[in-house]
Amino acid sequence: NAGVMQNPRHLVRRRGQEARLRCSPMKGHSHVYWYRQLPEEGLKFMVYLQKENIIDESGMPKERFSAEFPKEGPSILRIQQVVRGDSAAYFCASSPQAGYTEAFFGQGTRLTVV
Amino acid sequence: EDQVTQSPEALRLQEGESSSLNCSYTVSGLRGLFWYRQDPGKGPEFLFTLYSAGEEKEKERLKATLTKKESFLHITAPKPEDSATYLCALDQGGSEKLVFGKGTKLTVNP
């Protein structure tokens, strides 16, 4: 059973470009969580999604950031018009049910904005 | 105000030198406290979940304990491969988000 797959592992974008981060949950997992880890900071919750639904996006910046988890395919975290402050490691976790007891994290996408 | 505080920020040990990492928290309605290990460039790897004061869990050289205000991760006779950043995270009732501490970076020298 493959783990949580995130791609790309590294992404470089110029200021103003769009960044798309993908997260394929483990087989059988229908709950996805996104976290951001800024340098020298702890992981910060961004959004919690179930298939086709955003359940909690209280950690998402109000502008430029969006997330989806379609019926088919990976979950996508989209950052429009990136700025240098968006440079961070973005992690997703997936779980077969709500909660983290059986959740696993992916290896992350490291976004660098130049 | 930080809800989760980990100390120390960094810890250097000699191989075989036992020690403890601390995670203090101030939230009420704790649903669970999680410990993760994170290696450089990798995602958090699950270690333990503790649910109530007095609970203890062990795995190899690691033992996690929980009180009403803090949790400890005890490392007995550590080896260089235990070098990593150890993260503590809280699962609060009524929310589906983990609140993470900043971590303790552990280095074990041979």
Side-chain angles (χ1 to χ4, degrees), chain B:
Chain B
E1 181 183 354
D2 288 339
Q3 295 175 300
V4 186
T5 304
Q6 290 189 247
S7 61
E9 290 185 12
L11 180 63
R12 284 185 175 273
L13 299 173
Q14 289 299 121
E15 185 171 3
E17 179 186 1
S18 301
S19 188
S20 296
L21 283 54
N22 178 262
C23 172
S24 299
Y25 61 93
T26 58
V27 299
S28 59
L30 180 71
R31 192 160 63 184
L33 185 142
F34 290 72
W35 281 99
Y36 290 89
R37 168 187 172 133
Q38 187 176 26
D39 292 292
K42 300 289 183 65
E45 175 187 344
F46 173 79
L47 293 174
F48 304 107
T49 309
L50 302 168
Y51 295 101
S52 57
E55 188 175 2
E56 299 183 353
K57 289 191 177 176
E58 287 188 66
K59 179 181 178 182
E60 296 181 354
R61 295 178 293 282
L62 299 177
K63 178 179 171 182
T65 62
L66 181 65
T67 73
K68 289 186 178 180
K69 294 183 178 181
E70 58 192 349
S71 176
F72 291 94
L73 184 65
H74 307 276
I75 303 177
T76 302
K79 298 181 178 182
E81 53 261 43
D82 294 323
S83 297
T85 295
Y86 290 86
L87 304 173
C88 165
L90 304 183
D91 182 359
Q92 295 177 263
S95 168
E96 292 298 335
K97 63 184 76 170
L98 289 181
V99 178
F100 279 85
K102 293 184 179 181
T104 293
K105 183 177 181 180
L106 174 67
T107 303
V108 182
N109 296 315

Side-chain angles (χ1 to χ4, degrees), chain A residues 48-103:
Chain A
Y48 162 44
L49 311 104
Q50 295 179 24
K51 284 283 188 180
E52 299 184 276
N53 288 301
I54 297 174
I55 307 302
D56 182 351
E57 57 182 347
S58 59
M60 290 274 274
K62 299 300 181 188
E63 299 178 349
R64 303 187 296 107
F65 285 72
S66 62
E68 64 177 9
F69 189 14
K71 185 177 180 180
E72 301 290 338
S75 175
I76 305 289
L77 180 67
R78 181 184 180 200
I79 311 172
Q80 296 178 291
Q81 299 176 320
V82 296
V83 301
R84 288 211 171 124
D86 296 332
S87 296
Y90 293 81
F91 294 95
C92 78
S94 75
S95 179
Q97 58 192 18
Y100 293 85
T101 305
E102 298 177 65

